[in-house]
Amino acid sequence: MTQPPGAPQWWQQQGPPTGASPQQQYTHPAPQPNSTSFGGSFSSEYGGFGAFDSSSPAKRAKSRKPWIIGVAAAVVLSVGGGVAAWATGVFAGEVLDQDSLHEGIATVLRESYGEHDVRNVSCPDDQQIKAGHTFDCTVDVAGKPKTIRVRVLNDKPQYEVGAPH
């Protein structure tokens, strides 16, 4: 659709006739605060267009501080638990029971070696139940300190008690 030259376009405002006062622009009055006008204004006491933009409190990123504190606490607890388990020998594998070991050594010395006065059997703590593992224990036989070599035979646990020397 073409228009004759000099004719105003549909988007242009037609000014006053020629020879009249200079062209005036129509402006809409700014809305007054707390007014109830609805004509053409998009702002209101509730925020208008900007009420739901990304800077509103509802859309802001939440703090990561609780997550960081929670993860740090979990790491500290798991590391502390691992160290405590290691210190108590949980990862050392199965070990010989001290009371049973001392009693068994005294029984073998009495029954197999004929030593009737056996006292104060003492072996190192936490001896592993592993085939071939050897260690020395001390014992008083007839009032004299003696050393005994003990060798673990298998994982049952069965062990061999050497002669006192």
Side-chain angles (χ1 to χ4, degrees), residues 3 6-18 20-26:
Q3 300 213 358
Q9 299 294 322
W10 65 270
W11 65 86
Q12 294 177 334
Q13 191 174 17
Q14 188 171 1
T18 344
S21 65
Q23 186 177 14
Q24 296 179 354
Q25 188 88 13
Y26 177 76

Side-chain angles (χ1 to χ4, degrees), residues 2-80:
T2 59
Q3 300 213 358
Q9 299 294 322
W10 65 270
W11 65 86
Q12 294 177 334
Q13 191 174 17
Q14 188 171 1
T18 344
S21 65
Q23 186 177 14
Q24 296 179 354
Q25 188 88 13
Y26 177 76
T27 59
H28 183 70
Q32 299 296 322
N34 295 329
S35 72
T36 57
S37 73
F38 297 100
S41 173
F42 292 106
S43 64
S44 72
E45 63 186 281
Y46 300 109
F49 277 131
F52 302 106
D53 66 357
S54 64
S55 66
S56 69
K59 298 273 184 167
R60 286 190 202 133
K62 294 183 179 180
S63 175
R64 294 182 181 163
K65 190 175 183 180
W67 284 101
I68 293 170
I69 291 171
V71 168
V75 168
V76 168
L77 288 175
S78 64
V79 168

Side-chain angles (χ1 to χ4, degrees), residues 33-156:
N34 295 329
S35 72
T36 57
S37 73
F38 297 100
S41 173
F42 292 106
S43 64
S44 72
E45 63 186 281
Y46 300 109
F49 277 131
F52 302 106
D53 66 357
S54 64
S55 66
S56 69
K59 298 273 184 167
R60 286 190 202 133
K62 294 183 179 180
S63 175
R64 294 182 181 163
K65 190 175 183 180
W67 284 101
I68 293 170
I69 291 171
V71 168
V75 168
V76 168
L77 288 175
S78 64
V79 168
V83 169
W86 176 77
T88 59
V90 170
F91 301 118
E94 293 187 62
V95 295
L96 293 169
D97 179 56
Q98 289 292 307
D99 294 334
S100 296
L101 179 63
H102 294 167
E103 191 176 309
I105 290 172
T107 301
V108 169
L109 290 175
R110 285 185 194 110
E111 293 177 4
S112 297
Y113 292 103
E115 302 291 344
H116 298 289
D117 189 15
V118 178
R119 297 175 194 223
N120 301 327
V121 179
S122 177
C123 297
D125 291 337
D126 300 329
Q127 295 302 313
Q128 291 184 353
I129 301 174
K130 184 177 174 185
H133 176 64
T134 60
F135 55 95
D136 291 334
C137 297
T138 59
V139 65
D140 290 338
V141 177
K144 295 182 182 176
K146 303 281 182 173
T147 303
I148 298 170
R149 170 106 356 167
V150 177
R151 182 171 64 111
V152 178
L153 300 175
N154 53 32
D155 62 350
K156 298 286 182 227

